[in-house]
Each structure stands twice: as structure tokens, then as C-alpha cells.
Amino acid sequence: MKKVDRFGVKILGCGSAKPTLRHLPSSQVVDFRGNLFLVDCGEGTQRSLLKWHVSQAKIGHIFLSHLHADHCLGLVGLISTLGLGQRQGTVVIHAEPDFERVFGPQFDYFCPQLSMELKIQQHPTAHSSVIYDDGSLTVKTIPLRHRVPTTGFLFEEKPRLRHLNIERARELSIPVAYYNAIKAGADWTLENGVTVPNGELTTDPAPPRRYAYVSDTACTESILPLIQGVDLLYHEATYLDKDRDKAMLRGHTTALQAASLARKAGVGHLVIGHFSSSLHSADDEKLLLDEAQTVFPDTLLADEGLDIEL
Amino acid sequence: MKKVDRFGVKILGCGSAKPTLRHLPSSQVVDFRGNLFLVDCGEGTQRSLLKWHVSQAKIGHIFLSHLHADHCLGLVGLISTLGLGQRQGTVVIHAEPDFERVFGPQFDYFCPQLSMELKIQQHPTAHSSVIYDDGSLTVKTIPLRHRVPTTGFLFEEKPRLRHLNIERARELSIPVAYYNAIKAGADWTLENGVTVPNGELTTDPAPPRRYAYVSDTACTESILPLIQGVDLLYHEATYLDKDRDKAMLRGHTTALQAASLARKAGVGHLVIGHFSSSLHSADDEKLLLDEAQTVFPDTLLADEGLDIEL
């Protein structure tokens, strides 16, 4: 895919709270047309960025789902390193309102004179809201059900411009300066007053793509309206369904539950992650995958370095 | 060496501030007779403990040299994980007085109900003081010259009991209950009033062993009285001597300087670490080693997993 159209997700860490040698704690990068958005930042994230050749310089926004250690303890180190690297511009951290109280003293001490501007944008966690919006992308929160205030994130591409039939435009001597208006949906009026409808000048663009990140949460159908029909859903699947009670108690989801939600929401693909440390091997994780695929065949297991194009 | 006599150091991380794929940030474990003392705790330390099979359960004391990101950002994650593992007993963190202000809010948030007691012991950084003392070991601070308040740590074994000549003790019918007094240096008086001097009953124990950790610091001879004759010196050697000015400016030491200090102090062995990220390869680090060995041949390069027995 051309870089200008790229919309991809790269997994940097898909383990859970207890550290293991199989996985790193939660972190991933969303690459939208070359702009990078970091989602969660567990311990070790800055080193993973190096390992997987992700340019720190292109990370403008960092979204934290919640303030559990395995989702945010790599943040101060990363910001400190960006400063050491003389990063310019602005880096925005999106987090729930407790963030500043919990992280402020460390930023003050470890990052006193940053080369770049560091902005903290707080978002509510009880209802969905748009927390990022530019000409081509919005990011919305997805309220989740965990042991502390938690949200997922929905990355939504805005509708792209229509494809102009360039030969037809030339036949009709439409000025080049008017092409963007046509791509945006305008009709064209000939000198004789006859209108050529937009549908004769353009074809539909590819539909806008959507990616939903859902971690950590107890299984909840309340997210269905937001994730309905997304191209890609990353959903935590900490446990096998035999541990459903434990999952509920701890605010987590089983592989079977995640797959059932994916099916109900009619998503394109499902990636499951946030694996319990009690899964000791690739074979153990395969059990999660098998379970999920019984109800949603188009499921993938997350893994560090996995790169998925929407 | 028998575990009961073990006094060893295992390197967990020997990189410096900017992350690299070659090294982890500073951390190491001192194993004294099966009790583990963690020295510095850079990001990723808890995972390194897993990797190198170091038992978290045996870490009772954590010593932080200073509050720079690459020496302490693995701490909250480690403490949180100890709590998840239902660690019992007490864990003591030894740090300079700013520690509580900088880390307190994160401990409050991420570790609200720990299974073990967490104690913070502040130490002054301007002069040397004893910050740990038990029946067999003391730990003293070594004031250093860095950009923030910083100390190294001197681990000193206490003199061991003398070796009892058990055959001679039996010949003289010395009661077993009196053996420890003899080992501690007492003479023995026969029934006829004649004194058998301790020197005829015991032989000298092995001399007490000492380990000094010195990182980060500009080269300073002020540490010589404290590190004089230690069995092992870990000294930072961030740069080659061609970068001596940069080292001084940033509060660091060159390999040549570290080796000169080791020679002046007459230490047994020198391990150099805290390698600059500008050293990109094993060959680059070999240059550091070559430089140090020109003045102190018994120098080793630190590396993750390196285990040194005193």
C-alpha cells in the first residue's frame, strides 16, 4: 500500500500484568498516513520502538487506555528519551484525569527542560468522546469496564475524496482549479446551462477504514455500537473461557467472549492479545486462538512485531 | 563457592541514558550469602530478573544511586509485580531525599495494597554513611559527582569467625558450647590454670571481601579512601578518553580515568560499564577495554548476565 494511504497497526507488546519472557506489556503503534499514534506504553516500549524500527520522531500523540502499571510505565522513559534526542514540536498525551497527579512529579523531575512541548489532554471515561480530530482522522474513546477508569480507542478515517474521471473532466474542459470541488461531490454546469451530475464525473472512493482498540475490560456488549463493522478490532483476551469467572472478577475477557463480540459487531478481522502470564507457551496461546476461531474464524493472535494493514 | 560464603555480583543492565538494543539501563544484583541486594533499577529490570533466573523473593533491599531515568524507572513496575506475586516480609528502598516526592504518587496509585511492607530509607548524599548493617555485612554510601545528588555503594563483609582446629579442641576437651567463643578469638584455660592462646587453637579466616559500585560520576579521586583495596570495583566508563571533556561536562568518567582510579586504589578487579549509546558494537566497547587495560590490566567489560564472584 502506498504510504500516503497507509493505515496499519504494529504490536509492540501484548502481555499482561505479570512480566514474562514471551511478551512485553501493552503497547502498539497506529500508523495513519505516516503519522504515528502510540496506544499504551508499557515498560520497555522505547526499546521496542528501536527494535521494530519505529521512528520516535513521528509519534505525535500517545493514548493511554488506563493507569495500570503494564499499560503506562514505559511513558516517562520514552518522554525522557525524546527529550535527549532533541525532539521538536509537540507531543500530546491523552489520558484519564488522574494522570497528571500520578505522573506529574516524575515529569517534573526527569524531564525538566524538554526540547519539545508536552501537552496532557485529559478525557472523561464514562462516555465516548472525540479526543483527536484532524482533516482525515478522528479518535474516539470507547468506555470500558475494568477495575480503574478505562477506555479503548476508535480510530476512524474520514471519508476520502471521490475518484475523478480525469478523461471525462478534460473532454468537458473543466478547469483544473475546480477538480477538488468535483472530488468533494460538486456537479459541473456546461456553458449551455446543462448540469453534468457528479456521478458522471467521479467514482466512489474506498470506504473509510476504522480500527478499534479494546483493552482492558470485562466482556461488555455496551461497546457494540461503537465497534460495529470496524475493519480491525484488537480485543483483549487474557484468559481461556474455562477461566470466565476469574476474567469477570478481574475485569478481563476470555478469547471466546472476544470472538463473540467480534461476530456480533460484524468486524472485518479480530486480533486478540493481553495474554495471561499463565499461558506459558505458543501451544497455550494456540488454545486461545482455537477457542476464538470456533465463533470468529478471522482471528489472529497478537505478537510483538506483528504488523497489520487495514 | 559454597552458597553460605557466596559474595557475587550479577549485571542486569550496563547501558546509559539513551536506550540501545545492545544493553539495558543500569541494574545489578549483589548476592551476599543468598540475600539479594538490587543496585539501581532501570527500565526492564523486572524482566531481566526473570531472564537471568534471579529470585525476586530474595531481594530485601534496593539501593538507588541517583534519580536519573536510566537508574530507577524500572522500580515501580518491580514493586507492583512483587505485590502481584504476594511477596511477604519487608522490602526497603534506599534513596536520596527527593525520592519520596518523585515516586510517592506512583506507589500510591499503582501499589495501593501491597502484600509486603515497603519501607523508604533516605540517605544523605554529601558524605559517606552506613545505610545497611547486619551481622555479616555493611553497606556505605560513596558520595559521587554527578548532575544530581548521587552516591555509589560500598558492600563490606564483616570479619568472619576464625577457623577452629577441631582436632586440637578435642584433644583439649574444650566443650562444644565454647567453640564459638574460640572462633571469635577467646583463649582457653586448662584445669591446671595454663592458658592456651587462641593462636594455637585457630587459624586466620579468609579476609573480609569488599565490593564498590560507582556510577554515575565525573572522575573523582575523593572516592579513593573508600574504595582503597576493594576486591571488586564496578566503575562507570561511559566514554573513551578522547571524549574526556564531554565526560566531565556531563558528570561521567572515561575508561582510562576509571582504570587509573582502580590502579591508585589498588583494587583487585575492575568492571567497567554504563556504556554510551555512541558505542555501537562489541568492537567499539573493546576500545574501552583496551584503553582501560593500558593502565589496569585486570579490567572486565560489563555485560548483561555477567556474574562475578568476589
Side-chain angles (χ1 to χ4, degrees):
Chain A
M1 179 163 288
K2 284 181 297 182
K3 190 175 174 188
V4 67
D5 275 338
R6 176 161 162 72
F7 191 174
V9 178
K10 188 188 276 285
I11 307 296
L12 300 176
C14 55
S16 60
K18 280 194 195 173
T20 70
L21 295 177
R22 290 187 54 71
H23 294 294
L24 288 164
S26 292
S27 185
Q28 53 181 250
V29 174
V30 176
D31 178 348
F32 185 75
R33 301 184 187 172
N35 296 315
L36 303 187
F37 301 83
L38 190 66
V39 181
D40 282 339
C41 189
E43 189 175 344
T45 295
Q46 57 173 333
R47 203 157 184 258
S48 293
L49 292 170
L50 276 181
K51 178 170 182 181
W52 301 108
H53 309 290
V54 179
S55 167
Q56 295 178 354
K58 292 181 180 165
I59 297 173
H61 291 259
I62 300 170
F63 299 90
L64 297 183
S65 62
H66 64 300
L67 302 186
H68 271 164
D70 56 324
H71 289 254
C72 57
L73 286 186
L75 184 66
V76 177
L78 174 61
I79 297 299
S80 169
T81 296
L82 291 178
L84 287 176
Q86 297 303 307
R87 165 66 188 266
Q88 300 300 305
T90 303
V91 174
V92 185
I93 298 168
H94 302 262
E96 60 103 326
D98 279 325
F99 178 83
E100 199 134 5
R101 173 172 66 80
V102 177
F103 279 83
Q106 292 211 346
F107 282 126
D108 291 345
Y109 193 90
F110 295 116
C111 316
Q113 291 176 311
L114 286 172
S115 53
M116 75 282 191
E117 183 188 18
L118 185 67
K119 274 193 190 169
I120 315 292
Q121 287 208 351
Q122 301 178 1
H123 55 251
T125 58
H127 60 271
S128 177
S129 54
V130 174
I131 58 173
Y132 175 85
D133 190 343
D134 68 18
S136 49
L137 183 77
T138 62
V139 182
K140 283 179 191 155
T141 54
I142 304 171
L144 299 177
R145 295 192 184 166
H146 197 44
R147 307 192 305 275
V148 296
T150 304
T151 67
F153 301 104
L154 176 65
F155 290 78
E156 294 188 293
E157 186 178 34
K158 290 186 178 178
R160 285 178 272 189
L161 292 175
R162 300 180 62 75
H163 288 300
L164 179 64
N165 181 335
I166 192 79
E167 286 186 9
R168 187 79 183 113
R170 282 175 183 154
E171 275 171 22
L172 297 174
S173 303
I174 299 174
V176 171
Y178 202 69
Y179 281 5
N180 273 343
I182 304 277
K183 287 180 188 173
D187 300 328
W188 176 247
T189 304
L190 301 174
E191 283 185 5
N192 64 8
V194 174
T195 293
V196 183
N198 187 276
E200 290 184 19
L201 303 169
T202 63
T203 51
D204 291 344
R209 294 162 291 179
R210 297 193 303 148
Y211 168 58
Y213 173 85
V214 178
S215 185
D216 296 356
T217 187
C219 179
T220 172
E221 296 203 350
S222 64
I223 68 173
L224 286 177
L226 280 163
I227 68 168
Q228 197 67 40
V230 297
D231 299 271
L232 178 66
L233 168 65
Y234 176 97
H235 200 293
E236 74 127 292
T238 306
Y239 299 110
L240 286 164
D241 208 58
K242 70 180 175 61
D243 292 322
R244 181 181 280 241
D245 292 346
K246 190 199 290 183
M248 175 58 70
L249 195 69
R250 299 184 181 179
H252 288 302
T253 300
T254 72
L256 191 69
Q257 289 173 324
S260 301
L261 285 171
R263 189 170 66 177
K264 282 181 187 165
V267 311
H269 309 267
L270 170 66
V271 184
I272 54 174
H274 200 265
F275 306 129
S276 164
S277 63
S278 63
L279 302 163
H280 296 295
S281 65
D283 285 348
D284 285 353
E285 287 169 16
K286 180 73 164 46
L287 297 176
L288 284 180
L289 183 66
D290 291 345
E291 184 172 289
Q293 287 182 331
T294 59
V295 293
F296 193 78
D298 205 348
T299 304
L300 276 175
L301 282 175
D303 199 8
E304 284 74 12
L306 177 69
D307 206 324
I308 310 160
E309 189 69 40
L310 270 76
Chain B
M1 180 163 289
K2 285 181 297 182
K3 192 175 173 187
V4 68
D5 275 338
R6 177 161 162 73
F7 190 174
V9 178
K10 188 188 276 285
I11 308 295
L12 300 177
C14 54
S16 59
K18 279 193 195 174
T20 70
L21 294 178
R22 289 186 57 71
H23 294 294
L24 289 164
S26 291
S27 185
Q28 53 182 249
V29 174
V30 176
D31 177 348
F32 184 75
R33 302 183 188 174
N35 295 316
L36 304 186
F37 301 83
L38 191 65
V39 181
D40 282 339
C41 188
E43 188 175 345
T45 294
Q46 57 173 333
R47 204 158 184 257
S48 293
L49 293 170
L50 276 182
K51 178 171 181 181
W52 301 108
H53 310 291
V54 179
S55 166
Q56 295 177 355
K58 292 180 180 165
I59 297 173
H61 291 259
I62 300 170
F63 298 91
L64 297 184
S65 63
H66 64 300
L67 303 187
H68 270 165
D70 56 322
H71 290 254
C72 57
L73 286 187
L75 183 66
V76 177
L78 173 61
I79 298 297
S80 168
T81 296
L82 291 177
L84 287 176
Q86 296 303 308
R87 165 66 189 264
Q88 300 299 306
T90 302
V91 174
V92 185
I93 298 169
H94 302 262
E96 60 104 327
D98 279 325
F99 178 83
E100 199 134 6
R101 172 172 66 80
V102 176
F103 280 83
Q106 291 210 348
F107 282 126
D108 291 344
Y109 193 91
F110 294 117
C111 317
Q113 292 176 310
L114 286 171
S115 53
M116 74 281 192
E117 183 188 18
L118 185 67
K119 274 193 189 168
I120 314 293
Q121 285 208 352
Q122 301 178 359
H123 55 251
T125 58
H127 60 272
S128 178
S129 55
V130 174
I131 57 174
Y132 175 86
D133 191 344
D134 67 19
S136 51
L137 183 77
T138 62
V139 182
K140 284 179 191 154
T141 54
I142 305 172
L144 299 177
R145 296 192 184 165
H146 196 44
R147 306 192 305 275
V148 296
T150 304
T151 67
F153 301 104
L154 177 64
F155 291 78
E156 294 188 294
E157 185 177 35
K158 291 186 178 176
R160 285 178 274 189
L161 292 175
R162 301 180 60 76
H163 288 300
L164 179 66
N165 181 335
I166 191 79
E167 287 186 7
R168 187 80 182 112
R170 282 175 184 155
E171 275 172 23
L172 297 174
S173 302
I174 301 175
V176 171
Y178 201 67
Y179 281 4
N180 273 343
I182 304 276
K183 289 181 187 172
D187 300 329
W188 175 247
T189 304
L190 301 174
E191 285 186 4
N192 62 9
V194 173
T195 293
V196 183
N198 187 275
E200 290 183 19
L201 302 170
T202 63
T203 52
D204 290 343
R209 296 162 290 180
R210 297 192 304 148
Y211 169 58
Y213 173 84
V214 178
S215 185
D216 297 354
T217 188
C219 180
T220 174
E221 296 203 350
S222 63
I223 68 173
L224 286 177
L226 280 163
I227 67 168
Q228 197 67 40
V230 297
D231 298 271
L232 179 66
L233 168 65
Y234 177 96
H235 200 293
E236 75 129 291
T238 308
Y239 299 109
L240 286 163
D241 208 57
K242 70 180 175 61
D243 292 322
R244 182 181 280 240
D245 292 345
K246 191 199 289 182
M248 175 57 70
L249 195 70
R250 299 184 181 180
H252 288 301
T253 301
T254 73
L256 192 68
Q257 290 173 324
S260 301
L261 286 171
R263 190 169 65 177
K264 283 181 187 165
V267 311
H269 308 268
L270 169 66
V271 183
I272 53 175
H274 201 264
F275 306 128
S276 164
S277 63
S278 63
L279 302 163
H280 296 295
S281 65
D283 286 347
D284 286 352
E285 286 168 17
K286 180 72 166 43
L287 296 176
L288 285 178
L289 182 66
D290 291 345
E291 185 172 288
Q293 288 182 331
T294 59
V295 295
F296 193 79
D298 206 348
T299 304
L300 277 176
L301 283 176
D303 198 8
E304 284 73 13
L306 177 69
D307 206 324
I308 309 160
E309 189 69 38
L310 270 77

